[in-house]
Amino acid sequence: MAPPAHWPLDLRGRFDEAFVRIGRRLSEPAIGARIDQAAWQRAIRRCETLLDTQARLVLLHGDLHLGNVLDGGPSRGLFAIDPKACVGDPCFDAVDYVVAGAGQEGVEARCQWVAAACGLDGDRLYAWSRVVAPMAAIAHLTYDGPEPVIDELLALSR
C-alpha cells in the first residue's frame, strides 16, 4: 500500500535530525575514544546512499525499537507505541530488531531471519544496520552495555 499523499515527514528528515543530535555525543571522551568522525561520516554517506536509492516508500512507525513494542496480552497481542511516523524505506522499521542481534547470534544472521520473515530486501536491511550501528553503539557506551555488543556494532561501523 502506498503511503498517504503529501505526508509531511520523511526518513531523510528523521536522519538529518538524528545525525546532528546524536553526533554531538562524539565530543564526549568515552564516546569519541571509540567512535571517530570518520566512522560517523561513513554512516552519514551510507544513509544518504540508501535514501537516494529508495525504490518503494511506505508509511513507517519511524521509531520501532524494542522499547516501543508492548505486549497487550492474549486478547490484544503486540502493539507499537510512540510513533514518529514518516515515509521511507520499508526496511527501516525492522533495523532495530536486526541490530539487537549484536553480541548474540549476530547482526548478519538476525538480518537474514528478519528479512525472510518480513519479506524485506536482506541486503538493504543489512546496509541500514550499518547506518544505525554507531548510534546503537553510542547508546551501549553510555549505559555500559556488554563489550561483545559494542564490538560488533563498532565493526559494522567500519
Side-chain angles (χ1 to χ4, degrees):
M1 173 189 310
H6 310 294
W7 191 262
L9 302 172
D10 65 10
L11 195 52
R12 186 176 304 275
R14 292 266 299 126
F15 268 104
D16 287 346
E17 180 276 329
F19 277 118
V20 169
R21 177 177 40 83
I22 299 169
R24 290 184 196 120
R25 308 271 325 271
L26 297 177
S27 65
E28 297 173 22
I31 305 294
R34 304 286 298 272
I35 303 172
D36 61 13
Q37 280 294 329
W40 198 249
Q41 291 304 313
R42 269 192 306 278
I44 291 171
R45 283 191 307 276
R46 288 173 175 149
C47 182
E48 289 171 351
T49 298
L50 286 166
L51 292 169
D52 289 344
T53 58
Q54 296 176 109
R56 183 172 150 240
L57 300 176
V58 298
L59 184 61
L60 299 166
H61 177 281
D63 194 25
L64 194 59
H65 57 77
L66 300 170
N68 277 346
V69 176
L70 303 178
D71 185 350
S75 64
R76 183 165 184 189
L78 298 176
F79 63 97
I81 62 167
D82 197 23
K84 306 236 180 338
C86 60
V87 172
D89 189 322
C91 289
F92 177 73
D93 268 350
V95 75
D96 284 326
Y97 295 94
V98 169
V99 172
Q104 297 178 48
E105 70 272 11
V107 171
E108 191 168 1
R110 176 80 61 95
C111 181
Q112 292 172 11
W113 298 338
V114 170
C118 298
L120 297 171
D121 178 331
D123 292 336
R124 282 190 75 81
L125 185 54
Y126 185 74
W128 277 114
S129 74
R130 297 189 76 197
V131 169
V132 302
M135 296 176 180
I138 288 171
H140 283 283
L141 288 165
T142 300
Y143 299 106
D144 296 321
E147 201 60 34
V149 172
I150 295 168
D151 289 344
E152 185 172 353
L153 293 171
L154 293 176
L156 280 169
S157 301
R158 292 187 191 106

